[in-house]
Amino acid sequence: MTNSDRVNFGSRIGVILASAGSAVGLGNIWRFPYEAGQHGGAAFILIYLLCVLFMGMPVMISEFLIGRRSRANTAGAYRILAPGTPWRWVGFLGVLTGFLILSYYSVVAGWTLEFIVEAGTNSFAGKTAPDFSASFASFLQKPVLPVIWTACFLLLTHFVVVRGVKKGIERSSKLMMPLLFILVIVLAVCSVSLPGSEKGLLFLFRPDFSKVTSDVVLGAMGQAFYSLSLGMGCLCTYASYFSRDTNLAKTAGSVGVIDTCVAVLAGIIIFPAAFSVGISPDAGPELIFITLPNVFQQAFAGVPVLSYIFSLMFYILLALAALTSTISIHEVVTAYLHEEFHLSRTRAATLVTAGCLLLGAACSLSMGVWSDFTIAGMNLFNLFDFTTTKIMLPLGGMLICLFTGWYLDRRLVYAEVSNEGSLKVRFFRAYIFLVRYVAPIAIAGVFLKEWGLF
Ligand code: PHE
């Protein structure tokens, strides 16, 4: 396939919704609240915002310009822009990271389907806190059911990706994202209106810097990359379908704002509801699968129908958010196989789905029957989460900055960000300064500190 045969997204809103769909996901609604909950709420959020601004935004613009300039999958992009150099490894690293993330992400995404069914069949009714924790533990111990849900989620993703960029990715984002925004806002309003919710808001917005350690900073940085889908060529792949007149910086700004708003709104859904029934929000990854169903039950104890609707809407929201993200990760690997190995799109997607299903099944079992098998003290699921989020994504982000800041010709970078000079780019010098120095040094600093070398 030549580069000019490639399909583009059909509209500006399609570009924004697809990219925001990639960014908004379990990272915002599952990961962000428990990371914030464990790391002191507002102080974590503040550091997170700084990471988004000074590392996330420059990396996103860089991914956009690499993708649109090369009009290729992420591995192909480096081959085209830096032929014959080791930079191509950055592309491969991205594809590998995508493959690993998709494998364990689909497991959690699969749980959301189980919870939609449980919420829909009203099986949360009458349960108490220990019941929720016992029933989630017994669900994870089952060898087959969680794997089936993982497979279902991967198949849903597969069918969208196979339909292609315009009919699959763009159309599904245009359908799902508005629904997602409505659900987030309705749920946040309901949560804030509960009696006693102020404590949750205070937790979310009043910083306690005594909890800030280097671990918190690493966590916030990893979370920023993860939540914005950066560091593995995901937005680079999407940008290869942008048209020549897409304003890259503006699109990056919109995606950053949407993603951050949804994360904060997820906090506004979860913390006020949790505090209103006196439950601590620092439960960790199981927060939304054990703590929350219980919170929803108690918060609307007088009106069971409200508990029912609230829970069902919440898990539908979670599944939608996860789906728009799995689609984008799947696309990275599919586009790579499709373009680099000249496989048909369907065949490429099938390989990705099958491979992720195998690894995903292993991750799923590692939370239950295989939990005794650990590497460096972590089961497979946690190992994948840790290595991808805390190492591979920030490392990928740093390399992407070095590539645009130091390797690419400055005129090429300017031409791409300014749409060949047709846009005024007032922030260009600041951008170059950030990608050359600030972002790579900050990422390296956090790494060194974390590994005890600094
Ligand atoms: N950004 C997604 C989320 O917040 C996860 C993701 C990571 C998607 C990396 C693509 C690439 O859930």
Side-chain angles (χ1 to χ4, degrees):
M1 179 160 91
T2 63
N3 286 359
S4 53
D5 291 338
R6 292 174 108 246
V7 187
N8 275 352
F9 286 122
S11 61
R12 207 160 62 189
I13 186 78
V15 163
I16 294 183
L17 291 182
S19 311
S22 168
V24 173
L26 294 173
N28 306 58
I29 307 170
W30 165 64
R31 219 167 178 289
F32 180 82
Y34 82 70
E35 286 273 337
Q38 286 182 326
H39 294 141
F44 173 87
I45 297 177
L46 224 72
I47 300 173
Y48 172 78
L49 290 179
L50 292 178
C51 292
V52 168
L53 213 62
F54 293 110
M55 299 184 214
M57 283 298 112
V59 177
M60 195 183 301
I61 296 176
S62 303
E63 285 209 20
F64 279 171
L65 76 88
I66 294 171
R68 189 176 63 177
R69 186 74 187 186
S70 60
R71 300 183 60 70
N73 68 87
T74 183
Y78 292 90
R79 186 173 42 70
I80 291 169
L81 296 179
T85 66
W87 284 108
R88 65 177 188 285
W89 291 102
V90 182
F92 295 138
L93 175 73
V95 175
L96 177 68
T97 311
F99 190 67
L100 295 181
I101 295 186
L102 185 57
S103 303
Y104 84 85
Y105 198 93
S106 308
V107 174
V108 185
W111 299 345
T112 66
L113 299 180
E114 161 76 14
F115 274 69
I116 291 179
V117 172
E118 287 192 20
T121 51
N122 205 16
S123 50
F124 295 154
K127 279 191 181 161
T128 57
D131 298 336
F132 282 110
S133 142
S135 75
F136 190 60
S138 96
F139 167 68
L140 289 186
Q141 283 303 325
K142 288 187 183 138
V144 182
L145 188 61
V147 177
I148 291 183
W149 285 127
T150 306
C152 290
F153 212 92
L154 275 168
L155 284 177
L156 279 176
T157 309
H158 177 88
F159 288 121
V160 176
V161 172
V162 164
R163 302 210 63 194
V165 173
K166 240 188 211 157
K167 286 204 197 119
I169 300 175
E170 183 172 1
R171 198 188 279 172
S172 64
S173 309
K174 279 183 170 166
L175 203 80
M176 291 194 275
M177 291 307 285
L179 193 60
L180 184 147
F181 295 140
I182 296 173
L183 285 173
V184 176
I185 292 171
V186 171
L187 287 167
V189 171
C190 287
S191 183
V192 172
S193 61
L194 290 169
S197 62
E198 318 76 58
K199 276 196 235 124
L201 293 176
L202 278 183
F203 176 77
L204 199 55
F205 295 115
R206 191 202 284 153
D208 168 7
F209 288 104
S210 68
K211 293 228 172 84
V212 175
T213 59
S214 73
D215 220 29
V216 176
V217 181
L218 180 73
M221 180 177 82
Q223 174 63 22
F225 282 105
Y226 185 86
S227 185
L228 293 168
S229 306
L230 294 175
M232 52 154 279
C234 195
L235 294 183
C236 169
T237 305
Y238 270 14
S240 70
Y241 310 124
F242 288 2
S243 69
R244 288 273 161 234
D245 56 7
T246 302
N247 185 332
L248 299 184
K250 236 187 185 167
T251 308
S254 311
V255 174
V257 169
I258 294 176
D259 188 68
T260 307
C261 286
V262 174
V264 172
L265 280 168
I268 297 182
I269 295 173
I270 292 169
F271 296 125
F275 277 94
S276 89
V277 291
I279 288 176
S280 153
D282 56 3
E286 64 274 26
L287 175 70
I288 59 172
F289 295 106
I290 295 179
T291 316
L292 276 195
N294 179 36
V295 166
F296 297 158
Q297 260 344 90
Q298 295 190 31
F300 303 99
V303 209
V305 66
L306 281 184
S307 299
Y308 177 83
I309 296 175
F310 200 92
S311 316
L312 187 59
M313 284 205 313
F314 182 80
Y315 291 104
I316 291 177
L317 162 73
L318 210 55
L320 283 179
L323 185 57
T324 49
S325 298
T326 50
I327 291 168
S328 71
I329 313 175
H330 200 296
E331 177 63 23
V332 171
V333 195
T334 301
Y336 166 68
L337 293 178
H338 173 47
E339 292 175 7
E340 299 296 303
F341 297 93
H342 309 289
L343 301 177
S344 72
R345 194 173 173 84
T346 310
R347 186 171 263 192
T350 309
L351 279 178
V352 178
T353 305
C356 284
L357 184 55
L358 279 180
L359 265 190
C363 283
S364 174
L365 294 173
S366 81
M367 307 284 283
V369 281
W370 289 354
S371 59
D372 290 340
F373 175 73
T374 56
I375 300 172
M378 287 180 268
N379 65 28
L380 206 59
F381 179 96
N382 290 333
L383 183 74
F384 277 23
D385 182 43
F386 179 85
T387 26
T388 52
T389 318
K390 301 218 164 132
I391 302 174
M392 294 168 94
L393 292 182
L395 180 67
M398 180 162 83
L399 293 171
I400 289 167
C401 287
L402 296 176
F403 183 69
T404 37
W406 295 94
Y407 179 83
L408 283 184
D409 184 341
R410 182 93 60 101
R411 277 163 305 186
L412 179 151
V413 174
Y414 185 79
E416 204 52 43
V417 180
S418 68
N419 291 357
E420 306 298 332
S422 64
L423 299 171
K424 261 213 194 100
V425 199
R426 261 175 274 124
F427 63 86
F428 189 70
R429 296 179 84 190
Y431 162 73
I432 290 290
F433 183 67
L434 286 175
V435 280
R436 281 198 143 192
Y437 305 103
V438 179
I441 292 175
I443 298 171
V446 179
F447 269 147
L448 292 179
K449 175 98 187 115
E450 185 59 20
W451 308 131
L453 302 170
F454 174 55

